[in-house]
Amino acid sequence: MSGAGNVVSPLGGMIATRLALLRAIRGGDLVEARRVLSVQSADDLGDPIDALIETVGVYQEELRLQSEELQLSRARAEAASARLQHVFEQLPVPAVLLDRGGAIVDANHAAVRRFGLDLRTGRAHLLRRYVAADAAYRVSEALAEARLVGQTLLSDLPLALPDDRSGVADLYVTPLESGTDQVRETFLCVLVDHTAQRELSSQLDLAVRAGGVGVWDLDVLSRQAHLSAIMQSHLGFATADVALEDWLARLHPDDARQAGDDLARAMVHTASYQSEYRVVHPDGTVRVLHILGAVQRNAAGRPVRARGVCHDVTAERMAEQQQRARDLAERANQAKSEFLSRMSHELRTPLNAIIGFAQLLDASGDPQSAKQRSHVKQIEAAGWHLVHLVNDLLDLSRIESGHTELRLEPVDLGPALQAAAQIARSAVKIHRDITVEIESQPALRVHADDTRLKQVLVNLISNAIKYNRDRGHVRIDVHVQEAWVSIVVRDTGPGIAPAQVARMFEPFNRLGASTDVEGTGLGLSIAHRLAGLMRGQLTATSVQGEGSSFTLRLPLAAPAASSPSALPIDIDLDGEGTIDVLYVEDNLANAELMREVLSLVPGCTLRLARDAGEALAQWTAKRAHLLLVDVNLPGESGLDLVTRLRARDGHLPPWIAVTADVMPATEQAVKSAGAIALWRKPIDVAEVLAELDRQRTALQQASPAAARVA
């Protein structure tokens, strides 16, 4: 039995052989398969062997085909990968591949440029390093979220870029699955950079706010409008969202209909909207708004939205209205002047004959009765009255229209007073033994227009003569107070009531004077206005029964110098023999002009400084006898420089302001700063030389110790 157990049956051998053959074939070991076949007999294998061999051949062919297909698929995959890599590199926006720790594995060209990356160093570049510190945690959170749910959007991510640049971007995070278990270990991150758009939007918003431009957005279907802060201010609303009806309710009643028509026309016919109307705020304030907008329509052509801007043009419209009023007044004044000019011509032609023949009759030797001679004189007086009236009307018209041309310059007051008194005496036809006395004064000069000054003085003196009593008296006094000269004309006439003094300078108002007294009623009005144009002032006082007093106040001018040669030539100031002048002037041409002027003065030296700093340095090195300062210096002004020097040293030598500014405020500021004179550009050379003469004389008369400059 035991021997029988060790005997392998033919069937068992055949099965074992086939199993060995199948294992070799399945394993792809053809050599083993041939060996098995070579050691077995055909009987052991039986007929299935042929079928099996045939099957193996088919299986080998299938394996070959699968291998070729696998190679083709691999080639296609490599080509697709290359195309994807090309697309990745050519993306116009920064794109990077991150590992799960946030390190940059790969980056396209845009990302390399944007972040300044250099992946060749092998150093790990963490994306969060390129994000603002207070937002870096958001990158890690986005990677974790993408690993769980897929693509994630990180909006408005602030960037911290190289070279201290900043930016803002949207970050799209997409996980890339790898392996059969689809593990998400790599992430594609694409940044859509909004930095340029944000900067442009910020600049546009700044421009809109700086320009006072309001922005509005109207939903046509809901009739609700959204207003920017400036637009709210324009309309007088405290909220951003308002109903269209509330908006329209703010319109001025006189403009509401036209504004409604403009809006309706835009909704029906056009793509643009433009209107201008007044709005009334709750506090009653009225503003003028100019509205511009565009209408958005749906596919059916119906309006669904309107957006636009709004400008507050109140100031512009008011300025235009005022300009129109000025233009109208200017045209009216021009027409009046032209009319008066034509009227003057038409009146002077016949008056020439009337006055001329009257003078001939009066001067002729033909016998006339006293009555006839009186009539002739009345004709002549009436003619001259008309001439004076026309002249006064023309003067008043020119003054009111601003066409009076004045040449303000130093005028010798003494000769002007003498000439005006002589003209006034000869012009007044009424002779009642009136004496005119002019107070004796040293030579004075005032800043005025020579012709207009005499006109004002003639009017004042002639009035004092005409409205005086018989054998009355006219006295002219001159007073000097600081930088002003007051010329006072007093009469001994009847005077007027205090309530009427304020009306003295009204045109055509003669305050009830007798018609026997010649005059047009315009002289004082013209004199008052001319005084103001000469930067002076004319005032009046009166006491009934005692007389009236008129005071003309004008700026004082420096006395005229006879010539430069009249100045002393030899000066000895404690051995120095010169006057040291420091001139602070930033304009080289003006500085050279002053150098040439002072070169006419022997014994006078000039130092120049171009600004306050240079002047301070020169002053520290050596103080001057006389300081000339241009008021409008660059940087620190001339007045500021004087203040600093006085505060530092406690005092200043004489100083003179030099300026091209003729505004009264500047003159007052110079006076308050203690200047001994104000020289206006273009300078008066005679005035400069005269002032230097006075300063040298004062220094010569001072003691050597006082004249010495530290």
Side-chain angles (χ1 to χ4, degrees):
M1 291 294 295
S2 59
N6 292 327
V7 175
V8 179
S9 66
L11 180 58
M14 182 177 65
I15 292 173
T17 300
R18 290 187 176 184
L19 289 175
L21 181 61
L22 288 175
R23 281 196 297 271
I25 293 173
R26 286 180 177 176
D29 191 352
L30 298 182
V31 175
E32 176 64 16
R34 291 191 182 94
R35 187 191 65 76
V36 172
L37 291 174
S38 64
V39 298
Q40 300 296 328
S41 64
D43 292 338
D44 292 337
L45 295 174
D47 293 337
I49 294 302
D50 295 335
L52 184 59
I53 293 174
E54 183 178 356
T55 300
V56 169
V58 172
Y59 184 67
Q60 286 180 324
E61 180 65 18
E62 183 178 353
L63 287 177
R64 184 185 65 78
L65 293 175
Q66 290 180 354
S67 176
E68 292 178 355
E69 184 177 356
L70 180 60
Q71 292 177 358
L72 181 60
S73 297
R74 182 176 299 168
R76 289 173 179 171
E78 291 175 352
S81 176
R83 287 194 296 272
L84 288 175
Q85 183 66 28
H86 178 74
V87 171
F88 176 74
E89 292 292 346
Q90 298 302 317
L91 280 175
V93 296
V96 296
L97 293 179
L98 302 182
D99 62 17
R100 64 181 303 170
I104 299 176
V105 178
D106 197 3
N108 67 352
H109 296 309
V112 170
R113 289 193 302 269
R114 187 62 170 155
F115 298 113
L117 298 174
D118 187 1
L119 301 178
R120 296 172 300 178
T121 62
R123 180 170 53 87
H125 296 271
L126 298 177
L127 181 62
R128 61 175 175 269
R129 293 180 179 174
Y130 302 97
V131 177
D134 57 351
Y137 72 93
R138 297 177 61 192
V139 176
S140 301
E141 291 180 351
L143 295 179
E145 182 179 352
R147 188 178 295 112
L148 296 175
V149 301
Q151 189 180 69
T152 300
L153 170 62
L154 195 58
S155 300
D156 297 331
L157 183 65
L159 304 178
L161 305 174
D163 301 328
D164 295 327
R165 292 176 295 136
S166 61
V168 61
D170 290 343
L171 180 65
Y172 292 86
V173 181
T174 303
L176 303 180
E177 298 176 349
S178 60
T180 56
D181 54 355
Q182 297 183 340
V183 176
R184 296 171 174 177
E185 298 292 343
T186 307
F187 302 89
L188 172 64
C189 298
V190 178
L191 287 96
V192 180
D193 197 333
H194 300 306
T195 304
Q197 294 90 327
R198 292 294 177 87
E199 290 177 352
L200 180 61
S201 176
S202 176
Q203 293 171 1
L204 179 60
D205 181 63
L206 178 62
V208 166
R209 287 188 284 108
V213 179
V215 181
W216 54 271
D217 185 351
L218 173 64
D219 187 327
V220 176
L221 300 180
S222 67
R223 299 179 67 83
Q224 292 290 316
H226 182 76
L227 313 177
S228 69
I230 294 178
M231 189 65 188
Q232 296 173 46
S233 176
H234 287 344
L235 291 173
F237 286 109
T239 58
D241 297 306
V242 301
L244 179 60
E245 286 71 19
D246 294 335
W247 180 343
L248 297 177
R250 292 286 167 90
L251 271 58
H252 192 283
D254 294 342
D255 299 343
R257 182 172 181 178
Q258 181 61 49
D261 291 345
D262 292 340
L263 181 59
R265 189 180 306 109
M267 293 298 172
V268 176
H269 300 291
T270 65
S272 62
Y273 167 55
Q274 182 172 194
S275 186
E276 185 169 308
Y277 46 74
R278 290 166 292 173
V279 295
V280 182
H281 289 194
D283 62 359
T285 303
V286 178
R287 311 299 297 175
V288 183
L289 305 182
H290 188 80
I291 308 291
L292 294 172
V295 179
Q296 180 182 350
R297 304 179 186 278
N298 60 17
R302 295 179 179 176
V304 295
R305 206 167 200 86
R307 297 184 177 93
V309 296
C310 171
H311 301 264
D312 187 331
V313 295
T314 305
E316 290 87 339
R317 297 300 174 261
M318 290 183 63
E320 291 170 0
Q321 184 178 0
Q322 293 170 356
Q323 184 61 48
R324 286 193 296 270
R326 286 193 295 268
D327 292 342
L328 182 61
E330 178 67 21
R331 289 194 295 270
N333 280 328
Q334 184 66 27
K336 181 176 66 175
S337 298
E338 292 176 357
F339 168 74
L340 291 174
S341 179
R342 287 194 297 268
M343 184 186 71
S344 173
H345 179 270
E346 295 300 325
L347 286 174
R348 286 172 184 274
T349 301
L351 283 173
N352 182 58
I354 294 171
I355 296 173
F357 282 114
Q359 290 174 336
L360 288 175
L361 287 172
D362 187 42
S364 69
D366 296 338
Q368 299 178 20
S369 66
K371 186 175 183 180
Q372 288 175 327
R373 191 172 297 278
S374 175
H375 290 168
V376 170
K377 289 187 176 294
Q378 288 182 4
I379 292 173
E380 183 182 355
W384 283 119
H385 176 78
L386 286 175
V387 171
H388 294 322
L389 176 61
V390 171
N391 290 341
D392 288 347
L393 285 172
L394 288 173
D395 265 346
L396 185 61
S397 176
R398 282 192 290 264
I399 293 172
E400 288 181 342
S401 61
H403 293 159
T404 302
E405 295 183 1
L406 299 180
R407 182 180 178 181
L408 300 182
E409 58 186 358
V411 177
D412 291 322
L413 184 57
L417 281 171
Q418 293 293 342
Q422 183 177 356
I423 295 172
R425 287 192 190 99
S426 62
V428 176
K429 305 302 181 182
I430 301 175
H431 299 284
R432 294 180 293 181
D433 297 328
I434 306 297
T435 61
V436 178
E437 179 185 359
I438 302 177
E439 178 193 12
S440 177
Q441 280 285 335
L444 290 175
R445 296 202 302 171
V446 293
H447 278 288
D449 181 282
D450 186 35
T451 301
R452 296 300 185 177
L453 172 60
K454 291 175 183 176
Q455 180 180 349
V456 172
L457 292 174
V458 166
N459 179 269
L460 297 179
I461 298 172
S462 62
N463 277 353
I465 295 174
K466 290 186 295 184
Y467 296 99
N468 216 318
R469 57 180 171 80
D470 291 342
R471 294 181 296 278
H473 184 71
V474 176
R475 179 178 174 84
I476 303 171
D477 295 312
V478 179
H479 306 286
V480 179
Q481 184 178 12
E482 295 182 347
W484 295 92
V485 175
S486 296
I487 305 153
V488 184
V489 180
R490 294 185 177 90
D491 63 55
T492 55
I496 63 173
Q500 292 183 306
V501 172
R503 304 178 60 192
M504 274 189 173
F505 302 113
E506 294 178 357
F508 300 106
N509 194 342
R510 302 186 67 189
L511 302 178
S514 171
T515 56
D516 293 336
V517 179
E518 62 187 53
T520 64
L522 291 173
L524 279 178
S525 177
I526 294 173
H528 184 263
R529 300 189 189 198
L530 287 176
L533 291 175
M534 292 187 291
R535 303 194 187 98
Q537 186 180 28
L538 178 60
T539 58
T541 59
S542 186
V543 179
Q544 285 184 301
E546 296 183 13
S548 300
S549 175
F550 291 84
T551 301
L552 175 63
R553 193 165 182 257
L554 292 171
L556 174 67
S562 56
S563 67
S565 60
L567 295 175
I569 296 177
D570 297 322
I571 302 175
D572 184 12
L573 297 177
D574 193 23
E576 295 181 7
T578 59
I579 294 180
D580 184 30
V581 180
L582 177 59
Y583 182 28
V584 189
E585 170 64 70
D586 64 299
N587 185 285
L588 292 179
N590 289 335
E592 288 302 316
L593 171 62
M594 188 65 72
R595 188 191 298 276
E596 292 296 324
V597 171
L598 266 68
S599 69
L600 300 175
V601 185
C604 183
T605 62
L606 179 68
R607 290 184 287 144
L608 296 173
R610 299 192 60 178
D611 55 35
E614 187 176 338
L616 188 61
Q618 291 201 38
W619 188 265
T620 302
K622 181 183 179 182
R623 299 173 187 171
H625 297 102
L626 180 64
L627 180 64
L628 308 180
V629 181
D630 181 12
V631 173
N632 297 317
L633 292 173
E636 186 177 6
S637 72
L639 295 178
D640 292 338
L641 170 63
V642 169
T643 302
R644 284 183 60 188
L645 292 175
R646 181 178 288 115
R648 194 189 71 166
D649 298 343
H651 67 281
L652 274 181
W655 77 278
I656 298 173
V658 185
T659 181
D661 187 350
V662 297
M663 297 300 292
T666 301
E667 182 176 347
Q668 182 59 41
V670 168
K671 178 181 176 182
S672 300
I676 62 172
L678 172 62
W679 292 345
R680 286 191 172 90
K681 300 175 184 177
I683 61 174
D684 185 335
V685 175
E687 184 179 358
V688 172
L689 296 175
E691 187 61 46
L692 289 173
D693 187 18
R694 284 194 295 273
Q695 293 302 318
R696 281 208 314 181
T697 301
L699 287 170
Q700 284 178 320
Q701 293 174 350
S703 65
R708 184 180 300 111
V709 179

